[in-house]
Amino acid sequence: MAALLVKVHLDWTGPGHYDRDRSLPCRVCATATKMRDGRGDACHQSCAEDEIARELIGAGQALITDERGRGQR
């Protein structure tokens, strides 16, 4: 089976992605961070990027499996 490689880079340069006053546990890894995701939840940028990449890989693998299954009918 072919391997899927997904690289995600989010632009978190906006002020809404940083809370200078308060560190909270990252919603993914539970390590303290001042970074915030698009919903305002505490999350490291790298954790959010990895999470999105995993979701994209899962969706891509499902599409490949589905397409292979159609060809066998």
Side-chain angles (χ1 to χ4, degrees), residues 44-61:
H44 296 104
Q45 181 176 349
S46 59
C47 288
E49 291 168 345
D50 289 347
E51 185 177 53
I52 292 168
R54 284 191 306 274
E55 290 174 7
L56 291 171
I57 288 171
Q61 288 173 334

Side-chain angles (χ1 to χ4, degrees), residues 8-69:
V8 176
H9 179 73
L10 300 172
D11 179 5
W12 280 19
T13 56
H17 290 289
Y18 186 74
D19 182 349
R20 64 183 176 89
D21 297 323
R22 201 165 63 145
S23 288
L24 295 172
C26 173
R27 64 178 174 76
V28 177
C29 73
T31 303
T33 183
K34 292 185 176 207
M35 300 300 293
R36 302 294 184 259
D37 65 13
R39 295 182 309 231
D41 296 330
C43 187
H44 296 104
Q45 181 176 349
S46 59
C47 288
E49 291 168 345
D50 289 347
E51 185 177 53
I52 292 168
R54 284 191 306 274
E55 290 174 7
L56 291 171
I57 288 171
Q61 288 173 334
L63 288 171
I64 290 168
T65 300
D66 183 55
E67 191 60 31
R68 285 184 176 173

